Amino acid sequence: MTPHTGRNDALRAARLRRGWRTVEAAAAALTEHGQQYLGDRQYTVSARTWRRWEGDRPGWPAEETAIVLHDALGRWPEDLGFTTPPGWLRPEHHEEADVRRRAFASVTAAALVSGPVAPQHVDPALIGYFQQQLEGHYRADMFLGPHDLIGTVAAQYQLIDKLVRSAKGETRRGLLRVGAAYAALVGWLYQDAGDMDGASFWRGVTQEIAMRSRDPHLIGYSLVNQAQVRTDLGDGFAVIDLCEAALDDADRLVPKVRIMAMQQQAHGASLTGERRAVDQLLDDADRLLPRVDDDLPWGNACRRTPGYLEVQRATCYGRLGLGAEAGALWSQVLTIVPETARRDRGVYMARQATAAAAAREPDHAVEIARAVATIAVETRSARMRRELVTLERAMRPWHDAPVGRDLAEILAPVAEGT
């Protein structure tokens, strides 16, 4: 099976996701789409033109074709491998800016409520109430994914923020602590939904509230939260910096926070190519795991997630390109992850599929991807979609083979749902 030698793999992958198996079929389908979309029966795209687009020098399509490509494939030419000309502005540039402004206002609304607010009595029992609700939100996140929970959890954070402004003494400090945990969860939900701007904003809110609470455990937790965002952005050195800052005064921290910082630092080490550091950090974290005995209501993934540290190790190994080692670990992990944890299972299986591709087992990778695609459509998890994009890259050597075409067909519904 010979790897595809053309340079514009992005356009080729996009047409295969649409089910356009050949260049001729793609040109005919885009012609028909363009004639309907533009209301112009003279509009045509030839197979020769499309073949050039998938070659070494794709050039740049005419503006009306750029619009047709976007409507048909859901991406603008610069995201499809074309050579962007100087000064190119997307036709919807101004509308996009308005959408971004509205989206940012929506993201920040719950955290930036202007005061003052009318004073009210705040019963200390409310702290326990919000803590109990938090555990329920963690469970719901495992089943539902991010989109159905963001509004609910953000609204509860807004209520906590309102109560903090009236509460005093220990009640106020207790609400600050639980408020930081809610902000962290909102940040995670935005991150899982693929909105890194929203995630970064809420991670910042988490850190502010943690600092105001004066709780060293929460401050360490907030730094780990910031490191998680940096991991998704591929900034390994920033991950390491943040985790080292969290561990500067490790003796003051409960074992759970130290474990979180060490495992996240291992992700940073995997991004910088340091396998030995990955293993050392995760081995150290594993020795601490039996000592986790706090009753803090947040950050309990190490207790709640089956095979928590092996999940991290397998993920790091996959990032390091150790396909066989990662695949063996994922096989072990997935035997203990419950079927009810749909979103987590989907993410892990997508990583397992990528590990299979790295180990030169493309048929096994596609078999796994078939189940993942269904979960990705159901949960709308951006994390899972990103893992499937990584899988597509790992499967490039088989683009022209039947197994590669099968993968494109399997993943088409995921792309349509983005």
Side-chain angles (χ1 to χ4, degrees), residues 19 32 38 52 143 227 239 255 259 273 279 295 315 359 411:
E32 181 180 357
L38 299 172
R52 174 172 55 80
F143 303 138
V239 176
I259 289 169
D279 285 329
D295 57 359
T315 302
L411 299 185

Side-chain angles (χ1 to χ4, degrees), residues 84-150:
T84 309
W88 159 251
L89 288 177
R90 294 176 178 179
E92 77 328 353
H93 174 73
H94 298 295
E95 288 84 348
E96 270 195 352
D98 290 340
V99 168
R100 284 196 297 270
R101 281 193 291 271
R102 288 195 297 272
F104 185 72
S106 173
V107 166
T108 62
L112 299 179
V113 178
S114 59
V117 298
Q120 65 184 106
H121 172 70
V122 181
D123 195 294
L126 285 168
I127 299 170
Y129 163 77
F130 285 115
Q131 289 176 341
Q132 290 169 0
Q133 293 286 305
L134 188 64
E135 180 56 36
H137 294 320
Y138 288 141
R139 288 198 302 271
D141 173 46
M142 292 174 63
F143 303 138
L144 296 174
H147 299 275
D148 295 321
L149 280 179
I150 286 175

